[in-house]
Amino acid sequence: DAGITQSPRHKVTETGTPVTLRCHQTENHRYMYWYRQDPGHGLRLIHYSYGVKDTDKGEVSDGYSVSRSKTEDFLLTLESATSSQTSVYFCAISDPSSGGGLDTQYFGPGTRLTVL
Amino acid sequence: AQKITQTQPGMFVQEKEAVTLDCTYDTSDQSYGLFWYKQPSSGEMIFLIYQGSYDEQNATEGRYSLNFQKARKSANLVISASQLGDSAMYFCAMREGNYGQNFVFGPGTRLSVLP
């Protein structure tokens, strides 16, 4: 158990509204990630963070922003939600200091977001 | 170009038999890692096994083993003695470099274990 929680777990919202998803971890892992999962695409990286206030874009970052003001929290914001952002969102953590360059990613339980 | 290919969208296996899930990858990095994850119908992503590009022996974790063939760029997952609880989606993933964000997933294989 990597001590990762996501909130909310389910959300239904309307097109054009802002949405913020939260990822919380309890073990001071350095790296945090946001992915989205869609049928036929596996998981695709949206944004990641390599430390407090240090973030960068992933493969599918358009329409998303992130913030990390504390080690334990990584927020994903949809400024103006669209139907194409209906998806399951996963947060993940990793820690290169775990040794041997292993850097396995461990995932939170996911958030199912529906944009109507 | 796809970095991770899983050519089997769905597979069936009889309970107690072994099954191999295929994964091929594409990278020009010398240092990389290969991972398998399981996603049951409940939706969570569960880490199963890891193989480093410099590891000479195939990784094993209980009933899971990774058949790593570097020259062929394949990293197949072998599940021995399948159980009904093994029915799930299985994702192969690759990290290029030693750590961080260069982590890509394949499209997955849905495994169904038959009683």
Side-chain angles (χ1 to χ4, degrees), chain A residues 31 33 35 37 40 42-43 45 48 90 96 101-107, chain B residues 35 37 39 43-45 47 50 91 95 98-101 103 105-107:
Chain A
Y31 279 72
Y33 310 80
Y35 290 88
Q37 183 179 28
L43 277 79
L45 181 65
Y48 67 98
F90 284 98
L102 181 60
D103 198 29
T104 296
Q105 293 196 6
Y106 294 92
F107 288 80
Chain B
F35 304 78
Y37 289 84
Q39 186 176 42
E44 69 267 34
M45 293 287 290
F47 165 68
Y50 163 83
F91 293 95
R95 182 204 65 234
N98 287 325
Y99 59 87
Q101 76 283 3
F103 208 92
F105 285 81

PDB file of all heavy atoms in Angstrom, chain A residues 31 33 35 37 40 42-43 45 48 90 96 101-107, chain B residues 35 37 39 43-45 47 50 91 95 98-101 103 105-107:
ATOM      1  N   TYR A  31       8.130  12.078  -6.666  1.00  0.00           N
ATOM      2  CA  TYR A  31       7.455  12.228  -7.943  1.00  0.00           C
ATOM      3  C   TYR A  31       5.969  11.884  -7.805  1.00  0.00           C
ATOM      4  O   TYR A  31       5.601  10.897  -7.164  1.00  0.00           O
ATOM      5  CB  TYR A  31       8.062  11.285  -8.992  1.00  0.00           C
ATOM      6  CG  TYR A  31       9.326  11.776  -9.641  1.00  0.00           C
ATOM      7  CD1 TYR A  31      10.522  11.810  -8.944  1.00  0.00           C
ATOM      8  CD2 TYR A  31       9.320  12.187 -10.966  1.00  0.00           C
ATOM      9  CE1 TYR A  31      11.682  12.253  -9.554  1.00  0.00           C
ATOM     10  CE2 TYR A  31      10.480  12.627 -11.589  1.00  0.00           C
ATOM     11  CZ  TYR A  31      11.653  12.658 -10.878  1.00  0.00           C
ATOM     12  OH  TYR A  31      12.789  13.101 -11.482  1.00  0.00           O
ATOM     13  N   TYR A  33       2.251  11.910 -10.372  1.00  0.00           N
ATOM     14  CA  TYR A  33       1.824  11.906 -11.768  1.00  0.00           C
ATOM     15  C   TYR A  33       0.289  11.912 -11.844  1.00  0.00           C
ATOM     16  O   TYR A  33      -0.375  11.355 -10.977  1.00  0.00           O
ATOM     17  CB  TYR A  33       2.306  10.632 -12.478  1.00  0.00           C
ATOM     18  CG  TYR A  33       3.765  10.313 -12.315  1.00  0.00           C
ATOM     19  CD1 TYR A  33       4.240   9.691 -11.156  1.00  0.00           C
ATOM     20  CD2 TYR A  33       4.679  10.605 -13.318  1.00  0.00           C
ATOM     21  CE1 TYR A  33       5.577   9.378 -11.007  1.00  0.00           C
ATOM     22  CE2 TYR A  33       6.025  10.295 -13.181  1.00  0.00           C
ATOM     23  CZ  TYR A  33       6.467   9.683 -12.022  1.00  0.00           C
ATOM     24  OH  TYR A  33       7.796   9.387 -11.884  1.00  0.00           O
ATOM     25  N   TYR A  35      -2.539  10.655 -14.708  1.00  0.00           N
ATOM     26  CA  TYR A  35      -2.821   9.955 -15.955  1.00  0.00           C
ATOM     27  C   TYR A  35      -4.333   9.979 -16.193  1.00  0.00           C
ATOM     28  O   TYR A  35      -5.124  10.053 -15.266  1.00  0.00           O
ATOM     29  CB  TYR A  35      -2.406   8.486 -15.874  1.00  0.00           C
ATOM     30  CG  TYR A  35      -0.935   8.215 -15.837  1.00  0.00           C
ATOM     31  CD1 TYR A  35      -0.234   8.181 -14.635  1.00  0.00           C
ATOM     32  CD2 TYR A  35      -0.237   7.959 -17.010  1.00  0.00           C
ATOM     33  CE1 TYR A  35       1.124   7.900 -14.614  1.00  0.00           C
ATOM     34  CE2 TYR A  35       1.120   7.669 -16.996  1.00  0.00           C
ATOM     35  CZ  TYR A  35       1.791   7.646 -15.792  1.00  0.00           C
ATOM     36  OH  TYR A  35       3.127   7.372 -15.767  1.00  0.00           O
ATOM     37  N   GLN A  37      -7.172   7.420 -18.273  1.00  0.00           N
ATOM     38  CA  GLN A  37      -7.337   6.118 -18.902  1.00  0.00           C
ATOM     39  C   GLN A  37      -8.608   6.111 -19.731  1.00  0.00           C
ATOM     40  O   GLN A  37      -9.704   6.360 -19.212  1.00  0.00           O
ATOM     41  CB  GLN A  37      -7.411   4.994 -17.865  1.00  0.00           C
ATOM     42  CG  GLN A  37      -7.511   3.615 -18.515  1.00  0.00           C
ATOM     43  CD  GLN A  37      -7.562   2.480 -17.524  1.00  0.00           C
ATOM     44  OE1 GLN A  37      -8.024   2.640 -16.404  1.00  0.00           O
ATOM     45  NE2 GLN A  37      -7.071   1.327 -17.918  1.00  0.00           N
ATOM     46  N   GLY A  40      -8.928   1.621 -25.187  1.00  0.00           N
ATOM     47  CA  GLY A  40      -8.070   1.538 -26.359  1.00  0.00           C
ATOM     48  C   GLY A  40      -6.790   2.343 -26.287  1.00  0.00           C
ATOM     49  O   GLY A  40      -5.947   2.249 -27.176  1.00  0.00           O
ATOM     50  N   GLY A  42      -4.909   2.712 -23.127  1.00  0.00           N
ATOM     51  CA  GLY A  42      -4.113   2.460 -21.937  1.00  0.00           C
ATOM     52  C   GLY A  42      -4.129   3.694 -21.052  1.00  0.00           C
ATOM     53  O   GLY A  42      -5.135   4.415 -20.968  1.00  0.00           O
ATOM     54  N   LEU A  43      -3.029   3.986 -20.411  1.00  0.00           N
ATOM     55  CA  LEU A  43      -2.914   5.192 -19.586  1.00  0.00           C
ATOM     56  C   LEU A  43      -2.018   6.192 -20.291  1.00  0.00           C
ATOM     57  O   LEU A  43      -0.972   5.827 -20.831  1.00  0.00           O
ATOM     58  CB  LEU A  43      -2.318   4.857 -18.217  1.00  0.00           C
ATOM     59  CG  LEU A  43      -3.289   4.334 -17.177  1.00  0.00           C
ATOM     60  CD1 LEU A  43      -3.589   2.861 -17.408  1.00  0.00           C
ATOM     61  CD2 LEU A  43      -2.743   4.546 -15.781  1.00  0.00           C
ATOM     62  N   LEU A  45      -0.087  10.037 -19.854  1.00  0.00           N
ATOM     63  CA  LEU A  45       0.378  10.988 -18.853  1.00  0.00           C
ATOM     64  C   LEU A  45      -0.127  12.387 -19.171  1.00  0.00           C
ATOM     65  O   LEU A  45       0.030  12.874 -20.292  1.00  0.00           O
ATOM     66  CB  LEU A  45       1.913  10.979 -18.805  1.00  0.00           C
ATOM     67  CG  LEU A  45       2.570  11.892 -17.799  1.00  0.00           C
ATOM     68  CD1 LEU A  45       2.234  11.446 -16.368  1.00  0.00           C
ATOM     69  CD2 LEU A  45       4.080  11.902 -18.008  1.00  0.00           C
ATOM     70  N   TYR A  48       3.123  15.821 -14.572  1.00  0.00           N
ATOM     71  CA  TYR A  48       3.821  15.196 -13.462  1.00  0.00           C
ATOM     72  C   TYR A  48       4.538  16.252 -12.640  1.00  0.00           C
ATOM     73  O   TYR A  48       4.700  17.393 -13.080  1.00  0.00           O
ATOM     74  CB  TYR A  48       4.807  14.133 -13.959  1.00  0.00           C
ATOM     75  CG  TYR A  48       5.968  14.682 -14.746  1.00  0.00           C
ATOM     76  CD1 TYR A  48       7.200  14.906 -14.142  1.00  0.00           C
ATOM     77  CD2 TYR A  48       5.838  14.963 -16.101  1.00  0.00           C
ATOM     78  CE1 TYR A  48       8.261  15.408 -14.856  1.00  0.00           C
ATOM     79  CE2 TYR A  48       6.900  15.465 -16.828  1.00  0.00           C
ATOM     80  CZ  TYR A  48       8.101  15.683 -16.210  1.00  0.00           C
ATOM     81  OH  TYR A  48       9.149  16.187 -16.927  1.00  0.00           O
ATOM     82  N   PHE A  90      -6.094   8.695 -12.923  1.00  0.00           N
ATOM     83  CA  PHE A  90      -5.274   8.037 -11.921  1.00  0.00           C
ATOM     84  C   PHE A  90      -4.113   8.943 -11.517  1.00  0.00           C
ATOM     85  O   PHE A  90      -3.462   9.544 -12.366  1.00  0.00           O
ATOM     86  CB  PHE A  90      -4.687   6.732 -12.464  1.00  0.00           C
ATOM     87  CG  PHE A  90      -5.669   5.605 -12.529  1.00  0.00           C
ATOM     88  CD1 PHE A  90      -6.315   5.308 -13.719  1.00  0.00           C
ATOM     89  CD2 PHE A  90      -5.935   4.831 -11.408  1.00  0.00           C
ATOM     90  CE1 PHE A  90      -7.227   4.256 -13.793  1.00  0.00           C
ATOM     91  CE2 PHE A  90      -6.843   3.779 -11.471  1.00  0.00           C
ATOM     92  CZ  PHE A  90      -7.487   3.498 -12.665  1.00  0.00           C
ATOM     93  N   PRO A  96      12.668   7.832  -6.985  1.00  0.00           N
ATOM     94  CA  PRO A  96      13.954   7.312  -7.464  1.00  0.00           C
ATOM     95  C   PRO A  96      14.892   6.931  -6.343  1.00  0.00           C
ATOM     96  O   PRO A  96      15.758   6.097  -6.519  1.00  0.00           O
ATOM     97  CB  PRO A  96      14.521   8.477  -8.275  1.00  0.00           C
ATOM     98  CG  PRO A  96      13.354   9.298  -8.638  1.00  0.00           C
ATOM     99  CD  PRO A  96      12.373   9.151  -7.502  1.00  0.00           C
ATOM    100  N   GLY A 101      17.564   2.373  -9.104  1.00  0.00           N
ATOM    101  CA  GLY A 101      16.911   2.932 -10.282  1.00  0.00           C
ATOM    102  C   GLY A 101      15.569   2.294 -10.532  1.00  0.00           C
ATOM    103  O   GLY A 101      15.040   2.348 -11.643  1.00  0.00           O
ATOM    104  N   LEU A 102      14.982   1.687  -9.513  1.00  0.00           N
ATOM    105  CA  LEU A 102      13.736   0.954  -9.727  1.00  0.00           C
ATOM    106  C   LEU A 102      12.601   1.866 -10.132  1.00  0.00           C
ATOM    107  O   LEU A 102      11.969   1.670 -11.153  1.00  0.00           O
ATOM    108  CB  LEU A 102      13.369   0.193  -8.448  1.00  0.00           C
ATOM    109  CG  LEU A 102      12.082  -0.645  -8.532  1.00  0.00           C
ATOM    110  CD1 LEU A 102      12.198  -1.686  -9.628  1.00  0.00           C
ATOM    111  CD2 LEU A 102      11.830  -1.326  -7.200  1.00  0.00           C
ATOM    112  N   ASP A 103      12.323   2.869  -9.296  1.00  0.00           N
ATOM    113  CA  ASP A 103      11.357   3.903  -9.642  1.00  0.00           C
ATOM    114  C   ASP A 103      10.055   3.350 -10.180  1.00  0.00           C
ATOM    115  O   ASP A 103       9.535   3.791 -11.211  1.00  0.00           O
ATOM    116  CB  ASP A 103      11.957   4.884 -10.653  1.00  0.00           C
ATOM    117  CG  ASP A 103      11.189   6.186 -10.706  1.00  0.00           C
ATOM    118  OD1 ASP A 103      10.611   6.553  -9.672  1.00  0.00           O
ATOM    119  OD2 ASP A 103      11.155   6.813 -11.769  1.00  0.00           O
ATOM    120  N   THR A 104       9.537   2.338  -9.516  1.00  0.00           N
ATOM    121  CA  THR A 104       8.230   1.814  -9.887  1.00  0.00           C
ATOM    122  C   THR A 104       7.158   2.841  -9.570  1.00  0.00           C
ATOM    123  O   THR A 104       7.233   3.535  -8.560  1.00  0.00           O
ATOM    124  CB  THR A 104       7.956   0.528  -9.095  1.00  0.00           C
ATOM    125  OG1 THR A 104       8.917  -0.449  -9.492  1.00  0.00           O
ATOM    126  CG2 THR A 104       6.565  -0.006  -9.352  1.00  0.00           C
ATOM    127  N   GLN A 105       6.170   2.924 -10.430  1.00  0.00           N
ATOM    128  CA  GLN A 105       5.038   3.794 -10.157  1.00  0.00           C
ATOM    129  C   GLN A 105       3.931   2.997  -9.477  1.00  0.00           C
ATOM    130  O   GLN A 105       3.587   1.897  -9.901  1.00  0.00           O
ATOM    131  CB  GLN A 105       4.520   4.416 -11.449  1.00  0.00           C
ATOM    132  CG  GLN A 105       5.513   5.390 -12.059  1.00  0.00           C
ATOM    133  CD  GLN A 105       4.914   6.307 -13.093  1.00  0.00           C
ATOM    134  OE1 GLN A 105       3.721   6.326 -13.315  1.00  0.00           O
ATOM    135  NE2 GLN A 105       5.767   7.104 -13.733  1.00  0.00           N
ATOM    136  N   TYR A 106       3.380   3.576  -8.422  1.00  0.00           N
ATOM    137  CA  TYR A 106       2.267   2.990  -7.696  1.00  0.00           C
ATOM    138  C   TYR A 106       1.078   3.933  -7.828  1.00  0.00           C
ATOM    139  O   TYR A 106       1.235   5.152  -7.740  1.00  0.00           O
ATOM    140  CB  TYR A 106       2.622   2.777  -6.225  1.00  0.00           C
ATOM    141  CG  TYR A 106       3.706   1.752  -6.038  1.00  0.00           C
ATOM    142  CD1 TYR A 106       5.043   2.134  -5.984  1.00  0.00           C
ATOM    143  CD2 TYR A 106       3.405   0.394  -5.933  1.00  0.00           C
ATOM    144  CE1 TYR A 106       6.045   1.193  -5.836  1.00  0.00           C
ATOM    145  CE2 TYR A 106       4.394  -0.553  -5.778  1.00  0.00           C
ATOM    146  CZ  TYR A 106       5.718  -0.143  -5.734  1.00  0.00           C
ATOM    147  OH  TYR A 106       6.711  -1.075  -5.591  1.00  0.00           O
ATOM    148  N   PHE A 107      -0.089   3.345  -7.997  1.00  0.00           N
ATOM    149  CA  PHE A 107      -1.252   4.120  -8.383  1.00  0.00           C
ATOM    150  C   PHE A 107      -2.272   4.259  -7.271  1.00  0.00           C
ATOM    151  O   PHE A 107      -2.436   3.367  -6.439  1.00  0.00           O
ATOM    152  CB  PHE A 107      -1.929   3.471  -9.601  1.00  0.00           C
ATOM    153  CG  PHE A 107      -1.146   3.647 -10.863  1.00  0.00           C
ATOM    154  CD1 PHE A 107      -0.065   2.833 -11.147  1.00  0.00           C
ATOM    155  CD2 PHE A 107      -1.483   4.653 -11.752  1.00  0.00           C
ATOM    156  CE1 PHE A 107       0.677   3.013 -12.306  1.00  0.00           C
ATOM    157  CE2 PHE A 107      -0.758   4.845 -12.913  1.00  0.00           C
ATOM    158  CZ  PHE A 107       0.328   4.026 -13.191  1.00  0.00           C
TER     159      PHE A 107
ATOM    160  N   PHE B  35       7.622  -3.004 -16.922  1.00  0.00           N
ATOM    161  CA  PHE B  35       6.703  -3.247 -15.816  1.00  0.00           C
ATOM    162  C   PHE B  35       5.451  -3.924 -16.331  1.00  0.00           C
ATOM    163  O   PHE B  35       5.027  -3.699 -17.471  1.00  0.00           O
ATOM    164  CB  PHE B  35       6.275  -1.920 -15.169  1.00  0.00           C
ATOM    165  CG  PHE B  35       7.404  -1.056 -14.679  1.00  0.00           C
ATOM    166  CD1 PHE B  35       8.151  -0.298 -15.561  1.00  0.00           C
ATOM    167  CD2 PHE B  35       7.697  -0.990 -13.333  1.00  0.00           C
ATOM    168  CE1 PHE B  35       9.193   0.518 -15.113  1.00  0.00           C
ATOM    169  CE2 PHE B  35       8.726  -0.184 -12.866  1.00  0.00           C
ATOM    170  CZ  PHE B  35       9.473   0.565 -13.763  1.00  0.00           C
ATOM    171  N   TYR B  37       1.385  -4.397 -14.968  1.00  0.00           N
ATOM    172  CA  TYR B  37       0.353  -4.026 -14.012  1.00  0.00           C
ATOM    173  C   TYR B  37      -0.904  -4.825 -14.304  1.00  0.00           C
ATOM    174  O   TYR B  37      -1.203  -5.142 -15.461  1.00  0.00           O
ATOM    175  CB  TYR B  37       0.011  -2.534 -14.107  1.00  0.00           C
ATOM    176  CG  TYR B  37       1.092  -1.619 -13.595  1.00  0.00           C
ATOM    177  CD1 TYR B  37       2.153  -1.249 -14.424  1.00  0.00           C
ATOM    178  CD2 TYR B  37       1.056  -1.128 -12.294  1.00  0.00           C
ATOM    179  CE1 TYR B  37       3.147  -0.396 -13.946  1.00  0.00           C
ATOM    180  CE2 TYR B  37       2.039  -0.278 -11.825  1.00  0.00           C
ATOM    181  CZ  TYR B  37       3.083   0.076 -12.657  1.00  0.00           C
ATOM    182  OH  TYR B  37       4.074   0.915 -12.187  1.00  0.00           O
ATOM    183  N   GLN B  39      -5.111  -4.804 -13.750  1.00  0.00           N
ATOM    184  CA  GLN B  39      -6.259  -3.977 -13.415  1.00  0.00           C
ATOM    185  C   GLN B  39      -7.508  -4.860 -13.378  1.00  0.00           C
ATOM    186  O   GLN B  39      -8.100  -5.187 -14.407  1.00  0.00           O
ATOM    187  CB  GLN B  39      -6.453  -2.837 -14.417  1.00  0.00           C
ATOM    188  CG  GLN B  39      -7.554  -1.871 -13.995  1.00  0.00           C
ATOM    189  CD  GLN B  39      -7.695  -0.689 -14.940  1.00  0.00           C
ATOM    190  OE1 GLN B  39      -7.636  -0.823 -16.152  1.00  0.00           O
ATOM    191  NE2 GLN B  39      -7.894   0.496 -14.362  1.00  0.00           N
ATOM    192  N   GLY B  43     -11.027  -1.822 -10.827  1.00  0.00           N
ATOM    193  CA  GLY B  43     -10.456  -0.606 -11.386  1.00  0.00           C
ATOM    194  C   GLY B  43      -9.083  -0.188 -10.914  1.00  0.00           C
ATOM    195  O   GLY B  43      -8.450   0.639 -11.562  1.00  0.00           O
ATOM    196  N   GLU B  44      -8.603  -0.718  -9.792  1.00  0.00           N
ATOM    197  CA  GLU B  44      -7.285  -0.258  -9.331  1.00  0.00           C
ATOM    198  C   GLU B  44      -6.171  -0.820 -10.200  1.00  0.00           C
ATOM    199  O   GLU B  44      -6.334  -1.845 -10.838  1.00  0.00           O
ATOM    200  CB  GLU B  44      -7.063  -0.638  -7.863  1.00  0.00           C
ATOM    201  CG  GLU B  44      -6.896  -2.113  -7.597  1.00  0.00           C
ATOM    202  CD  GLU B  44      -8.189  -2.818  -7.250  1.00  0.00           C
ATOM    203  OE1 GLU B  44      -9.248  -2.409  -7.797  1.00  0.00           O
ATOM    204  OE2 GLU B  44      -8.140  -3.760  -6.448  1.00  0.00           O
ATOM    205  N   MET B  45      -5.064  -0.144 -10.221  1.00  0.00           N
ATOM    206  CA  MET B  45      -3.877  -0.571 -10.957  1.00  0.00           C
ATOM    207  C   MET B  45      -2.896  -1.171  -9.967  1.00  0.00           C
ATOM    208  O   MET B  45      -2.420  -0.490  -9.058  1.00  0.00           O
ATOM    209  CB  MET B  45      -3.217   0.613 -11.661  1.00  0.00           C
ATOM    210  CG  MET B  45      -4.043   1.201 -12.779  1.00  0.00           C
ATOM    211  SD  MET B  45      -4.083   0.137 -14.221  1.00  0.00           S
ATOM    212  CE  MET B  45      -2.400   0.299 -14.815  1.00  0.00           C
ATOM    213  N   PHE B  47       0.681  -3.091  -9.295  1.00  0.00           N
ATOM    214  CA  PHE B  47       2.008  -3.420  -9.804  1.00  0.00           C
ATOM    215  C   PHE B  47       2.295  -4.898  -9.581  1.00  0.00           C
ATOM    216  O   PHE B  47       2.091  -5.418  -8.485  1.00  0.00           O
ATOM    217  CB  PHE B  47       3.051  -2.564  -9.097  1.00  0.00           C
ATOM    218  CG  PHE B  47       4.457  -3.046  -9.272  1.00  0.00           C
ATOM    219  CD1 PHE B  47       5.066  -2.980 -10.520  1.00  0.00           C
ATOM    220  CD2 PHE B  47       5.168  -3.564  -8.208  1.00  0.00           C
ATOM    221  CE1 PHE B  47       6.367  -3.427 -10.681  1.00  0.00           C
ATOM    222  CE2 PHE B  47       6.474  -4.008  -8.366  1.00  0.00           C
ATOM    223  CZ  PHE B  47       7.070  -3.941  -9.605  1.00  0.00           C
ATOM    224  N   TYR B  50       8.751  -6.194 -12.244  1.00  0.00           N
ATOM    225  CA  TYR B  50       9.658  -5.245 -12.891  1.00  0.00           C
ATOM    226  C   TYR B  50      10.892  -5.968 -13.426  1.00  0.00           C
ATOM    227  O   TYR B  50      11.394  -6.910 -12.807  1.00  0.00           O
ATOM    228  CB  TYR B  50      10.096  -4.192 -11.863  1.00  0.00           C
ATOM    229  CG  TYR B  50      11.314  -3.402 -12.267  1.00  0.00           C
ATOM    230  CD1 TYR B  50      11.197  -2.308 -13.101  1.00  0.00           C
ATOM    231  CD2 TYR B  50      12.590  -3.756 -11.814  1.00  0.00           C
ATOM    232  CE1 TYR B  50      12.317  -1.576 -13.472  1.00  0.00           C
ATOM    233  CE2 TYR B  50      13.697  -3.032 -12.179  1.00  0.00           C
ATOM    234  CZ  TYR B  50      13.561  -1.938 -13.012  1.00  0.00           C
ATOM    235  OH  TYR B  50      14.661  -1.214 -13.384  1.00  0.00           O
ATOM    236  N   PHE B  91      -1.502  -4.660 -18.205  1.00  0.00           N
ATOM    237  CA  PHE B  91      -0.814  -3.622 -18.963  1.00  0.00           C
ATOM    238  C   PHE B  91       0.696  -3.790 -18.838  1.00  0.00           C
ATOM    239  O   PHE B  91       1.226  -3.943 -17.730  1.00  0.00           O
ATOM    240  CB  PHE B  91      -1.193  -2.230 -18.451  1.00  0.00           C
ATOM    241  CG  PHE B  91      -2.628  -1.858 -18.708  1.00  0.00           C
ATOM    242  CD1 PHE B  91      -3.591  -2.061 -17.734  1.00  0.00           C
ATOM    243  CD2 PHE B  91      -3.005  -1.319 -19.926  1.00  0.00           C
ATOM    244  CE1 PHE B  91      -4.916  -1.723 -17.957  1.00  0.00           C
ATOM    245  CE2 PHE B  91      -4.332  -0.978 -20.162  1.00  0.00           C
ATOM    246  CZ  PHE B  91      -5.290  -1.177 -19.183  1.00  0.00           C
ATOM    247  N   ARG B  95       9.621   2.343 -18.782  1.00  0.00           N
ATOM    248  CA  ARG B  95      10.214   3.605 -18.369  1.00  0.00           C
ATOM    249  C   ARG B  95      11.540   3.729 -19.102  1.00  0.00           C
ATOM    250  O   ARG B  95      12.402   2.870 -18.980  1.00  0.00           O
ATOM    251  CB  ARG B  95      10.440   3.631 -16.860  1.00  0.00           C
ATOM    252  CG  ARG B  95      11.009   4.950 -16.351  1.00  0.00           C
ATOM    253  CD  ARG B  95      11.752   4.768 -15.039  1.00  0.00           C
ATOM    254  NE  ARG B  95      12.927   3.944 -15.213  1.00  0.00           N
ATOM    255  CZ  ARG B  95      13.171   2.858 -14.482  1.00  0.00           C
ATOM    256  NH1 ARG B  95      12.351   2.463 -13.536  1.00  0.00           N
ATOM    257  NH2 ARG B  95      14.267   2.161 -14.700  1.00  0.00           N
ATOM    258  N   ASN B  98      16.427   6.154 -16.165  1.00  0.00           N
ATOM    259  CA  ASN B  98      16.466   5.545 -14.839  1.00  0.00           C
ATOM    260  C   ASN B  98      15.282   5.910 -13.963  1.00  0.00           C
ATOM    261  O   ASN B  98      14.991   5.224 -12.985  1.00  0.00           O
ATOM    262  CB  ASN B  98      17.757   5.937 -14.127  1.00  0.00           C
ATOM    263  CG  ASN B  98      18.945   5.210 -14.721  1.00  0.00           C
ATOM    264  OD1 ASN B  98      18.828   4.077 -15.137  1.00  0.00           O
ATOM    265  ND2 ASN B  98      20.085   5.877 -14.778  1.00  0.00           N
ATOM    266  N   TYR B  99      14.631   7.010 -14.249  1.00  0.00           N
ATOM    267  CA  TYR B  99      13.518   7.407 -13.394  1.00  0.00           C
ATOM    268  C   TYR B  99      12.695   8.464 -14.106  1.00  0.00           C
ATOM    269  O   TYR B  99      13.114   9.021 -15.116  1.00  0.00           O
ATOM    270  CB  TYR B  99      14.032   7.964 -12.067  1.00  0.00           C
ATOM    271  CG  TYR B  99      14.935   9.163 -12.205  1.00  0.00           C
ATOM    272  CD1 TYR B  99      14.424  10.458 -12.262  1.00  0.00           C
ATOM    273  CD2 TYR B  99      16.317   9.007 -12.283  1.00  0.00           C
ATOM    274  CE1 TYR B  99      15.256  11.541 -12.403  1.00  0.00           C
ATOM    275  CE2 TYR B  99      17.146  10.086 -12.421  1.00  0.00           C
ATOM    276  CZ  TYR B  99      16.613  11.353 -12.481  1.00  0.00           C
ATOM    277  OH  TYR B  99      17.446  12.431 -12.614  1.00  0.00           O
ATOM    278  N   GLY B 100      11.527   8.710 -13.540  1.00  0.00           N
ATOM    279  CA  GLY B 100      10.771   9.888 -13.909  1.00  0.00           C
ATOM    280  C   GLY B 100       9.664   9.684 -14.914  1.00  0.00           C
ATOM    281  O   GLY B 100       9.028   8.638 -14.985  1.00  0.00           O
ATOM    282  N   GLN B 101       9.488  10.678 -15.720  1.00  0.00           N
ATOM    283  CA  GLN B 101       8.247  10.825 -16.444  1.00  0.00           C
ATOM    284  C   GLN B 101       8.144  10.037 -17.739  1.00  0.00           C
ATOM    285  O   GLN B 101       7.065   9.945 -18.309  1.00  0.00           O
ATOM    286  CB  GLN B 101       8.023  12.311 -16.779  1.00  0.00           C
ATOM    287  CG  GLN B 101       8.884  12.844 -17.922  1.00  0.00           C
ATOM    288  CD  GLN B 101      10.307  13.108 -17.526  1.00  0.00           C
ATOM    289  OE1 GLN B 101      10.716  12.856 -16.387  1.00  0.00           O
ATOM    290  NE2 GLN B 101      11.093  13.634 -18.443  1.00  0.00           N
ATOM    291  N   PHE B 103       7.372   7.324 -18.981  1.00  0.00           N
ATOM    292  CA  PHE B 103       6.728   6.071 -18.600  1.00  0.00           C
ATOM    293  C   PHE B 103       5.544   5.901 -19.523  1.00  0.00           C
ATOM    294  O   PHE B 103       4.626   6.713 -19.493  1.00  0.00           O
ATOM    295  CB  PHE B 103       6.260   6.198 -17.147  1.00  0.00           C
ATOM    296  CG  PHE B 103       6.177   4.927 -16.377  1.00  0.00           C
ATOM    297  CD1 PHE B 103       7.250   4.491 -15.627  1.00  0.00           C
ATOM    298  CD2 PHE B 103       5.018   4.175 -16.381  1.00  0.00           C
ATOM    299  CE1 PHE B 103       7.171   3.326 -14.879  1.00  0.00           C
ATOM    300  CE2 PHE B 103       4.927   3.006 -15.644  1.00  0.00           C
ATOM    301  CZ  PHE B 103       6.004   2.582 -14.887  1.00  0.00           C
ATOM    302  N   PHE B 105       2.528   3.240 -21.418  1.00  0.00           N
ATOM    303  CA  PHE B 105       1.767   2.023 -21.250  1.00  0.00           C
ATOM    304  C   PHE B 105       1.318   1.470 -22.590  1.00  0.00           C
ATOM    305  O   PHE B 105       1.068   2.219 -23.536  1.00  0.00           O
ATOM    306  CB  PHE B 105       0.506   2.298 -20.410  1.00  0.00           C
ATOM    307  CG  PHE B 105       0.797   2.479 -18.951  1.00  0.00           C
ATOM    308  CD1 PHE B 105       1.249   3.691 -18.469  1.00  0.00           C
ATOM    309  CD2 PHE B 105       0.609   1.435 -18.066  1.00  0.00           C
ATOM    310  CE1 PHE B 105       1.521   3.864 -17.123  1.00  0.00           C
ATOM    311  CE2 PHE B 105       0.872   1.595 -16.719  1.00  0.00           C
ATOM    312  CZ  PHE B 105       1.337   2.806 -16.258  1.00  0.00           C
ATOM    313  N   GLY B 106       1.185   0.169 -22.657  1.00  0.00           N
ATOM    314  CA  GLY B 106       0.539  -0.462 -23.786  1.00  0.00           C
ATOM    315  C   GLY B 106      -0.959  -0.413 -23.639  1.00  0.00           C
ATOM    316  O   GLY B 106      -1.485  -0.001 -22.597  1.00  0.00           O
ATOM    317  N   PRO B 107      -1.687  -0.871 -24.654  1.00  0.00           N
ATOM    318  CA  PRO B 107      -3.158  -0.803 -24.641  1.00  0.00           C
ATOM    319  C   PRO B 107      -3.818  -1.851 -23.762  1.00  0.00           C
ATOM    320  O   PRO B 107      -5.012  -1.755 -23.468  1.00  0.00           O
ATOM    321  CB  PRO B 107      -3.527  -1.021 -26.106  1.00  0.00           C
ATOM    322  CG  PRO B 107      -2.390  -1.808 -26.663  1.00  0.00           C
ATOM    323  CD  PRO B 107      -1.162  -1.346 -25.936  1.00  0.00           C
TER     324      PRO B 107
END
